[in-house]
Amino acid sequence: MARPAKGSSPGAVERLAEAFWGMLSEMPYSEIKVVSLARRAGASPNTLYYHFGCVADLARYALEAELDARLVSDLLAGAPPYPDPMRERRLRRVTLAARSGSAELTSMLASSLRALWLEGAGVAESDLGDAQRRDLTFIFGGIVAVLGDETLAPDAGQMVAFASRPLGSGAVATMAALEGAGGASM
């Protein structure tokens, strides 16, 4: 039987990522297992292991696939929402990861947001001083905690409002100073 034409259906990696998001919406992260993920994606466990070493590697891939610089600036710098048909899905999935109850997944989210912001800001992690790293750890950890708070609606517009309050404006000013200084020690 001939292989389907490229692009005619989602590849195994995309199916695995979609299966991950589907399962995360139904169960705790800790209960997501390779066999059930592969089955849901219509793939074999060996396919998952071929592309990813474990569920955590797939989770990181799936999470990073949902993040882009505009969503990060929307969430972290109080930027107004931008038109993007995928924005709501992305925000919903990022919020799902933040609300997973998994320290591993929330840490992955904070690290991914931080890395994407640093890249977009043109700041090398190695150029940051201890105080700057602490500031960023606080800011990104706080954003993930806010996204993870199930009493709050997952609305990026609320992040814009947060940026106008004293704590939020301090976070935005800290990030702007780091960006403007290219990470040089302050």
Side-chain angles (χ1 to χ4, degrees):
M1 180 172 183
R3 290 181 74 157
K6 188 171 182 153
S8 64
S9 66
V13 170
E14 292 81 13
R15 291 193 321 270
L16 287 164
E18 286 302 315
F20 169 78
W21 288 117
M23 292 179 79
L24 188 61
S25 70
E26 298 165 5
M27 65 184 63
Y29 174 69
S30 61
E31 293 180 18
I32 298 175
K33 306 297 181 210
V34 168
V35 172
S36 54
L37 246 173
R39 184 178 309 122
R40 186 167 184 153
S44 73
N46 287 341
T47 300
L48 187 142
Y49 288 125
Y50 176 78
H51 294 287
F52 307 100
C54 58
V55 172
D57 291 344
L58 170 59
R60 182 177 310 282
Y61 169 84
L63 186 57
E64 289 177 355
E66 295 302 325
L67 297 174
D68 67 9
R70 293 186 77 181
L71 181 63
V72 171
S73 71
D74 194 13
L75 291 172
L76 305 175
Y82 58 92
D84 175 5
M86 301 304 286
R87 183 176 168 275
E88 290 306 315
R89 184 197 79 181
R90 291 171 186 251
L91 181 59
R92 189 173 53 255
R93 288 180 171 181
V94 167
T95 301
L96 183 61
R99 294 181 178 182
S100 68
S102 164
E104 180 180 24
L105 201 52
T106 56
S107 175
M108 220 181 274
L109 174 57
S111 294
S112 294
L113 290 170
R114 179 181 177 137
L116 192 55
W117 181 81
L118 286 166
E119 180 183 325
V123 177
E125 182 86 31
S126 60
D127 291 339
L128 298 174
D130 287 347
Q132 294 166 319
R133 284 195 298 278
R134 269 192 285 285
D135 290 348
L136 288 180
T137 297
F138 178 81
I139 291 167
F140 288 96
I143 295 299
V144 171
V146 169
L147 289 171
D149 185 341
E150 295 187 17
T151 66
L152 302 173
D155 177 13
Q158 290 183 15
M159 298 307 291
V160 173
F162 171 74
S164 67
R165 293 194 305 274
L167 181 59
S169 63
V172 170
T174 298
M175 295 170 75
L178 284 173
E179 190 173 27
S185 295
M186 297 197 293

